Amino acid sequence: MDSELDMLIHAFNHLSDVINRYFDTELEHIVKTDITAKTFNGNYRDQLLARYYNVTEDVNRFVQTLEGLNFNRTIDGISLNRPALIEMEGLAFNDVQNYITKQEEEINQTLTLAKQILVEQGLIDEEGDNDD
C-alpha cells in the first residue's frame, strides 16, 4: 500500500509530465524511496527528514518553473506558494507523526493548487488527464 507521501509523489510526477509535455522544461520525476528494515537500523530520523526535504525541494523547483511560465495564480487570483519546510520538534512518536502530517499538508496544498491552475489553463481536465 502506498503512503500519503507516495501518492503526493505520484501526483507531482504526473503534473511534471504535463508541464514537460507542453513546454520546454526538464522537470525530473521524484523517485519513490522504499522503506526497508535496513532503513530502521540506520538513523531513521535523518533519513525521514532527508526524504521530506528532497520532495519539498523538488516541489519548490516545480513551482519555480510554473512561475516562469506565469502559471502561478488561479483565475480567482489565489497565488501558488512554495511549500514550507517544517521543522521536526522532537524524536517522540507524536512529534514525528505531527511533522509528517504538517509536511504532507504543505506539499498537498501546493500540488492541489497547481493542478487547479493547470485545469484552468486547459492543460489537463478535472480528473487530471491530459486534454488532447
Side-chain angles (χ1 to χ4, degrees), residues 49-96:
L49 286 171
R51 184 173 190 220
Y52 278 90
Y53 176 83
N54 290 337
V55 170
T56 302
E57 286 300 304
D58 286 339
V59 173
N60 282 335
R61 280 190 289 280
F62 175 73
V63 170
Q64 185 176 12
T65 298
L66 291 180
E67 289 170 348
L69 297 169
N70 291 320
F71 290 169
N72 56 339
R73 288 190 188 282
T74 64
I75 290 173
D76 296 333
I78 300 170
S79 293
L80 180 62
N81 295 317
R82 297 174 185 176
L85 190 58
I86 307 298
E87 293 287 329
M88 191 179 307
E89 295 179 13
L91 295 175
F93 178 77
N94 285 342
D95 293 330
V96 173

Side-chain angles (χ1 to χ4, degrees), residues 25-119:
T25 58
E26 295 180 9
L27 293 166
E28 295 183 13
H29 276 196
I30 298 173
V31 178
K32 178 180 169 181
T33 305
D34 292 323
I35 304 297
T36 64
K38 185 178 178 183
T39 304
F40 290 101
N41 291 336
N43 190 341
Y44 182 69
R45 180 179 184 268
D46 289 343
Q47 292 179 46
L48 180 72
L49 286 171
R51 184 173 190 220
Y52 278 90
Y53 176 83
N54 290 337
V55 170
T56 302
E57 286 300 304
D58 286 339
V59 173
N60 282 335
R61 280 190 289 280
F62 175 73
V63 170
Q64 185 176 12
T65 298
L66 291 180
E67 289 170 348
L69 297 169
N70 291 320
F71 290 169
N72 56 339
R73 288 190 188 282
T74 64
I75 290 173
D76 296 333
I78 300 170
S79 293
L80 180 62
N81 295 317
R82 297 174 185 176
L85 190 58
I86 307 298
E87 293 287 329
M88 191 179 307
E89 295 179 13
L91 295 175
F93 178 77
N94 285 342
D95 293 330
V96 173
Q97 191 173 33
N98 288 335
Y99 165 77
I100 289 171
T101 299
K102 288 176 184 176
Q103 194 63 65
E104 287 175 348
E105 285 173 0
E106 285 286 325
I107 295 167
N108 188 39
Q109 287 174 355
T110 299
L111 293 178
T112 299
L113 193 56
K115 179 182 175 187
Q116 180 182 340
I117 291 168
L118 297 182
V119 167

